[in-house]
Amino acid sequence: MTSLQLDASAAGRSVTQYADVMGSGWPLTGRAEELQTITESLDTADAAGIVLAGAAGVGKTRLARETLTRAGHRGRDCRFVAATASAQSVPLGAFADYADRLGPDPLARVRDVVDAVTQTPRGRPPVVVGVDDAHLLDEQSALVVHQIVRRHLATVVLTVRTGEPAPDAITALWKDELLLRLEVQPLSKAETAALLETVLGDLVDSTTAQRVWNYTRGNVLYLRQLLADELASGHFARRSGIWTWDTHPTVSATLAELIDATMGRQSPHVLDVLDVLAVADALELDVLRAVVGAAAIEEAETGNLVTLDDGSFKPIARLAHPTFGEVRRMRASSLRLRRFRSAIVAASPPLRSRTDPVQQVRRAALLIDSDTTPDPQLLIDAASAAIQLMDPVIAERLARHAVEHGGGTPARVMHINALVNGGRLDEALTVNADLRAHASTPHERAALGLMRAGIFVRQNATEAAQELERIEGLAAAAGLTQTYNCVTAAARAFEEDPRSAVDAAIAGLTGPGPLTEFAESAESAESAEFAGVLGLVTACRDLGRIDTIRGYVERGYGLARTCPSIATSRFPLYLVHHEALQLAGHLTEADDVAGRVDEEPMEFALAVAFRGLIRGCASAGRGDLVASNRMFAEAAAAAETLEIAWIRSSVYLAMATTLAMAGDRERSRAAAENVPPEDPFAQRFEFAEMAHAWLRASDGLVGEAIAIIGDAARRAQTLHSPAREVWCLQTAVQFGDPGGAARLAELTTVVQGPRVTVVAAHAAALRDCDGDGLLAAARRYEEFGDRIAAGDAAAQAAVAFRDQGRRGAAMTATALARRLAAETGADTPALRANNSPIPLTPRQREIITLAGHGWSNRQIAEHLTMSVRTVEGHLLRASQRNGVNSRDELIALLTGT
């Protein structure tokens, strides 16, 4: 048993699954264009052939073999030979199987081999000859190929490695235009993702697919070995129903050998170049030249090991492939690499003079792993730049080293910022507690208390209010009233008190005096201001005040872009901004917000979780349930690694809702059960009660679903959250309850956006059994993008039309409902009622549905809080009305079985 199989067994996974990764049956993905070109060049029996050129590992051999296989399926005889470096020293080494005799005349030997290779029965078309790695052919073997092509004796498919010298007889084939030369490119990002999902047999997180492509650059050979290695080590794992890879790759001996073969033997000077770039990632050409010399760089570039980017002010040198750096870091000693880091630092201009944050972070990272003693202030500045670049992982490392090298309180504050921006909130609270224990002034204690409250707000923890209450007097005495109000606004908004949040935000953002937080720094003022904006936007989301949000939200984004300590806070702002627009019905604007999130760096779990949640909500809002559940799965996989329970709750409850909308009851229930029970957010109705209601509706318990969502609407009204009240009342109307029609009419004067007016019209039409009004509501929903609600309204219109005997109108409405159901994948109570148009009351339909789940009449009676006799009466009247004689016949009639 191989080590790969042992590792797979230890991980509790199927050995077969891992063995398949290295098997010969990998699918040919992303080569449709190349195959079409090849097919067109070989579509006649007398076609000369084609040369497939490309870098090592891009899949030339696989493509050539597939070409021969397809030719064989079309009745062609095929022969395949492979040239090797070891056979290159032997005349006709590649064609040894066809060289039956030896003799002094090399031309005679060549003619014999040509005849043997191209021989075919009379009446058959010429053979197809494949030659792999033709650049490694010896001179006589190359002459064989050249003669076959020139004399049109066979169709020839060659593979050659780009950049490698080849015999003159081979290069002449494309230079003299005897054969078409096709450059085979590495797989694109999308093609790499598709191949991963095909091989693994399930969804792959889009960030994982991006990381795999970044590492392999679409090289199939590297991809194959990397995937096998990372599966065996357990680093490539399946979480929340989706494959993820969020660790640094381990370079196995096998993968290292493959990469070594690509790099080839190199002089010590070139190895110096490779090792310097392996530790530096990218380096200005003048600095690299100072460390290793110009001649070595030129040699490395000639060997296709280094590339130069001349697009920047100063040319930048990089390794030609990221795996080269991985192998060199593995091969070289730690002392050698440390020496090169020190040499780079010494050859570089002073770090303080740099304005490019990318280079600032790279230099600081080199500095802490070199023999040079770092200046803690430089590390603090670099950590700040790293946060601004959305890389809280390296920021935390730099800040921690700044603390260790005597950076004092500023370094510890930066360490807190890095931890918070990376979602490591418990660790941030620990560092904050240590700072507060040693605070020497009331101002410091108040500022650190506000910082602590802000961390609790990020956790959506009830401790935020407690901390703010504890330090209110201290903050006032320290002159931090405005800062206190801004943080309070964020806390109250997340505690479902939007009116108080707005009051606190306005007081904090517009009150007299300076906005500051710690050591009178401008950055702290921006952080406090952002908290006020976030609180205001969150509160206005619930209040339905879209115009106010538009007036403040860009101010918040601007602060997050310029203030490093709150860089990742833009993600919660994206979320509440998106939710506000979606609740209002401005789905095009909401999509624009989701698009902005896509443009952010996604190299850490917090960003991935927010992107998946926002993208999933955007897709769900437009009724694309397949896409939404994929994005929620990505978010859930990332959220599992975070210390922020409310994000996990949000993701799983949103996933439970959309799965229930699609009628996937089992997966919906499983998603809801993944909600952390200790999270107070799990009890918040905007996700929890919506998920619960849709789950009940998917079970056929529409009456219960209406009761749950009705309670949620009343709670929203009590909490002065009219926008969320509209959302709940819309859901109730979709379930068939028009009881909120009067309240919705009132809300049209309170809540901004197109949704409330359409929902009010929908409820009124349902209440009045107005089929035309329901159909008009369906079209208005579809107009602003809510296709699931549109489908439900259309289905309800069809039922109303049938009740009125308007068969033509009913058919029109049904066609619309079915089109929307097909587009969205929805399976809602309204759609089901329209698809089984039998005369039943909602209560009869609910009782028969429960009976279909295998419940007895007594169980149904207890669940619905009625007597057994009442249940039996409903079943009897339903049977009489529909002309059936038994409970089972009623079930069959309802389910269509």
Side-chain angles (χ1 to χ4, degrees):
M1 181 176 288
T2 66
S3 60
L4 176 62
Q5 291 171 322
L6 286 169
D7 288 340
S9 177
R13 294 182 173 87
S14 165
V15 172
T16 304
Q17 180 183 21
Y18 292 88
D20 285 347
V21 171
M22 293 306 294
S24 60
W26 261 44
L28 190 65
T29 299
R31 296 303 187 194
E33 185 176 342
E34 288 92 337
L35 282 171
Q36 182 177 355
T37 301
I38 294 169
T39 301
E40 290 173 354
S41 68
L42 308 181
D43 61 357
T44 61
D46 61 348
I50 193 167
V51 177
L52 304 179
V58 297
K60 304 182 299 296
T61 302
R62 178 75 171 84
L63 195 55
R65 288 189 178 277
E66 179 67 19
T67 300
L68 265 65
T69 298
R70 294 188 176 199
H73 290 160
R74 294 195 301 271
R76 303 284 293 273
D77 293 329
C78 300
R79 285 88 192 259
F80 192 86
V81 297
T84 62
S86 58
Q88 197 171 19
S89 61
V90 180
L92 295 174
F95 291 97
D97 291 342
Y98 298 91
D100 293 334
R101 66 177 183 173
L102 298 176
D105 184 356
L107 291 179
R109 293 198 302 269
V110 168
R111 284 195 300 269
D112 289 344
V113 171
V114 168
D115 292 342
V117 171
T118 60
Q119 184 177 8
T120 183
R122 184 181 297 275
R124 298 277 293 173
V127 300
V128 180
V129 178
V131 182
D132 194 29
D133 287 336
H135 57 282
L136 294 177
L137 290 173
D138 62 273
E139 294 294 340
Q140 290 190 24
S141 295
L143 184 57
V144 167
V145 175
H146 191 269
Q147 286 294 304
I148 291 173
V149 174
R150 284 196 66 89
R151 294 165 59 189
H152 299 285
L153 299 175
T155 300
V156 178
V157 179
L158 304 182
T159 74
V160 296
R161 185 178 299 181
T162 301
E164 291 289 330
D168 291 342
I170 297 299
T171 58
L173 294 176
W174 63 83
K175 287 184 177 179
D176 295 343
E177 298 184 354
L178 298 174
L179 293 181
L180 171 70
R181 175 174 168 133
L182 175 65
E183 291 291 338
V184 180
Q185 301 299 321
L187 296 179
S188 67
K189 296 175 186 178
E191 291 163 349
T192 299
L195 180 57
L196 283 172
E197 293 192 345
T198 302
V199 172
L200 293 170
D202 212 335
L203 298 178
V204 174
D205 165 50
S206 58
T207 304
T208 292
Q210 177 70 50
R211 291 187 68 234
V212 169
W213 188 86
N214 288 344
Y215 188 74
T216 64
R217 288 293 193 270
N219 185 300
V220 181
L221 187 63
Y222 296 168
L223 170 62
R224 191 169 180 169
Q225 187 62 53
L226 173 72
L227 185 57
D229 294 342
E230 295 302 287
L231 282 169
S233 65
H235 295 160
F236 220 106
R238 197 167 177 270
R239 290 200 303 261
S240 302
I242 197 165
W243 286 97
T244 63
W245 183 51
D246 53 15
T247 59
H248 194 74
T250 54
V251 180
S252 68
T254 305
L255 181 56
E257 289 170 4
L258 292 174
I259 298 166
D260 279 337
T262 301
M263 290 191 293
R265 287 185 178 275
Q266 301 298 332
S267 70
H269 300 302
V270 171
L271 291 180
D272 286 349
V273 177
L274 298 179
D275 290 350
V276 169
L277 291 176
V279 297
D281 181 41
L283 199 60
E284 294 97 329
L285 181 59
D286 57 351
V287 176
L288 179 61
R289 190 182 292 118
V291 176
V292 298
I297 300 171
E298 291 172 10
E299 187 179 346
E301 186 183 15
T302 301
N304 296 317
L305 300 175
V306 171
T307 61
L308 295 180
D309 178 9
D310 294 323
S312 56
F313 175 69
K314 290 186 176 181
I316 302 294
R318 290 183 174 84
L319 291 173
H321 199 281
T323 55
F324 295 172
E326 296 290 343
V327 170
R328 290 311 305 164
R329 284 190 290 271
M330 181 182 74
R331 299 281 194 227
S333 70
S334 59
L335 289 177
R336 173 180 169 85
L337 297 180
R338 192 173 186 86
R339 172 167 59 84
F340 279 132
R341 291 188 188 98
S342 300
I344 294 169
V345 171
S348 301
L351 188 60
R352 195 182 302 276
S353 68
R354 294 184 172 274
T355 57
D356 180 358
V358 174
Q359 294 301 325
Q360 187 178 17
V361 172
R362 284 175 176 164
R363 286 298 182 278
L366 288 169
L367 184 63
I368 61 178
D369 288 327
S370 72
D371 294 321
T372 306
T373 302
D375 177 352
Q377 185 58 51
L378 295 179
L379 297 183
I380 293 171
D381 294 341
S384 178
I387 297 174
Q388 195 168 4
L389 292 169
M390 304 290 276
D391 191 348
V393 176
I394 187 63
E396 189 276 333
R397 187 162 175 253
L398 293 171
R400 180 161 33 86
H401 276 79
V403 172
E404 293 169 357
H405 285 85
T409 297
R412 290 180 179 274
V413 171
M414 183 55 65
H415 193 206
I416 292 173
N417 288 336
L419 290 168
V420 168
N421 277 278
R424 297 161 62 179
L425 304 185
D426 290 339
E427 294 175 68
L429 287 169
T430 300
V431 179
N432 177 272
D434 182 63
L435 268 178
R436 285 188 298 115
H438 296 89
S440 58
T441 67
H443 186 280
E444 288 183 359
R445 287 193 292 273
L448 289 166
L450 287 167
M451 183 183 292
R452 184 169 186 261
I455 297 171
F456 283 135
V457 169
R458 279 181 173 252
Q459 287 183 320
N460 198 48
T462 55
E463 288 89 344
Q466 299 169 9
E467 180 67 16
L468 287 167
E469 183 178 352
R470 186 183 69 81
I471 65 170
E472 182 176 9
L474 188 63
L480 298 176
T481 299
Q482 277 188 264
T483 299
Y484 178 88
N485 284 330
C486 285
V487 177
T488 299
R492 290 181 178 171
F494 286 111
E495 288 170 359
E496 301 177 316
D497 187 358
R499 288 184 172 180
S500 295
V502 169
D503 292 342
I506 296 301
L509 295 171
T510 63
L515 246 177
T516 185
E517 186 174 320
F518 196 83
E520 304 297 339
S521 71
E523 182 175 311
S524 296
E526 292 173 343
S527 176
E529 185 180 355
F530 180 87
V533 171
L534 180 61
L536 183 64
V537 171
T538 304
C540 288
R541 170 201 63 183
D542 298 343
L543 294 168
R545 300 180 186 175
I546 298 300
D547 290 344
T548 303
I549 289 174
R550 289 182 177 132
Y552 276 90
V553 70
E554 291 303 328
R555 179 175 172 182
Y557 290 135
L559 290 165
R561 282 192 296 270
T562 58
C563 179
S565 65
I566 55 170
T568 61
S569 296
R570 71 187 75 175
F571 288 113
L573 183 58
Y574 281 134
L575 179 62
V576 295
H577 186 196
H578 181 274
E579 288 174 345
L581 293 167
Q582 197 165 57
L583 286 172
H586 293 297
L587 298 192
T588 300
E589 281 187 74
D591 290 343
D592 291 341
V593 174
R596 291 170 70 170
V597 179
D598 280 342
E599 296 171 2
E600 299 287 0
M602 289 290 149
E603 294 299 317
F604 56 107
L606 183 70
V608 175
F610 269 109
R611 193 268 303 272
L613 178 57
I614 295 168
R615 265 292 173 202
C617 289
S619 296
R622 287 198 173 274
D624 189 346
L625 297 180
V626 173
S628 68
N629 286 317
R630 178 188 180 113
M631 295 311 303
F632 288 146
E634 292 193 13
E640 289 294 333
T641 67
L642 298 174
E643 299 171 357
I644 309 174
W646 74 265
I647 296 180
R648 295 198 298 276
S649 297
S650 301
V651 170
Y652 280 121
L653 289 170
M655 187 188 299
T657 301
T658 52
L659 287 168
M661 287 178 171
D664 193 340
R665 296 192 295 273
E666 296 305 316
R667 289 177 63 205
S668 174
R669 196 166 286 108
E673 290 170 356
N674 276 325
V675 175
E678 73 280 3
D679 178 21
F681 185 86
Q683 307 307 315
R684 290 180 58 164
F685 76 87
E686 62 258 47
F687 285 113
E689 294 188 11
M690 188 65 66
H692 191 195
W694 274 104
L695 261 170
R696 295 289 81 194
S698 70
D699 285 334
L701 305 177
V702 180
E704 287 188 38
I706 289 172
I708 292 167
I709 207 66
D711 288 343
R714 286 185 286 274
R715 183 181 172 198
Q717 184 176 5
T718 302
L719 293 172
H720 308 292
S721 298
R724 294 191 294 181
E725 186 183 355
V726 169
W727 187 36
C728 294
L729 290 173
Q730 174 184 324
T731 306
V733 177
Q734 288 178 244
F735 290 159
D737 176 24
R743 174 60 180 162
L744 282 163
E746 296 173 5
L747 290 172
T748 58
T749 64
V750 177
V751 176
Q752 296 174 339
R755 184 182 298 277
V756 63
T757 57
V758 180
V759 178
H762 182 186
L766 185 65
R767 178 196 60 200
D768 299 338
C769 300
D770 177 5
D772 293 311
L774 288 166
L775 190 56
R779 299 196 186 283
R780 290 175 67 189
Y781 277 128
E782 188 177 15
E783 187 177 304
F784 76 72
D786 191 340
R787 294 184 296 167
I788 291 179
D792 285 346
Q796 291 166 342
V799 172
F801 285 137
R802 274 195 296 271
D803 289 345
Q804 297 165 7
R806 298 172 60 185
R807 293 183 58 188
M811 291 175 64
T812 299
T814 295
L816 176 59
R818 288 179 177 171
R819 173 177 66 79
L820 290 167
E823 291 175 0
T824 63
D827 181 16
T828 65
L831 292 171
R832 290 194 295 270
N834 186 43
N835 288 336
S836 56
I838 59 176
L840 293 171
T841 67
R843 180 61 82 183
Q844 289 169 352
R845 190 177 295 273
E846 190 167 28
I847 289 171
I848 297 169
T849 298
L850 290 174
H853 293 337
W855 291 28
S856 68
N857 287 354
R858 181 169 298 280
Q859 288 173 316
I860 295 172
E862 291 174 354
H863 187 76
L864 298 179
T865 318
M866 60 177 61
S867 68
V868 175
R869 180 167 294 182
T870 301
V871 172
E872 292 171 345
H874 279 296
L875 291 171
L876 176 62
R877 287 187 292 276
S879 298
Q880 291 172 339
R881 189 175 184 186
N882 288 280
V884 296
N885 298 315
S886 70
R887 194 174 188 262
D888 289 342
E889 287 180 287
L890 272 177
I891 295 169
L893 192 63
L894 183 63
T895 59
T897 58

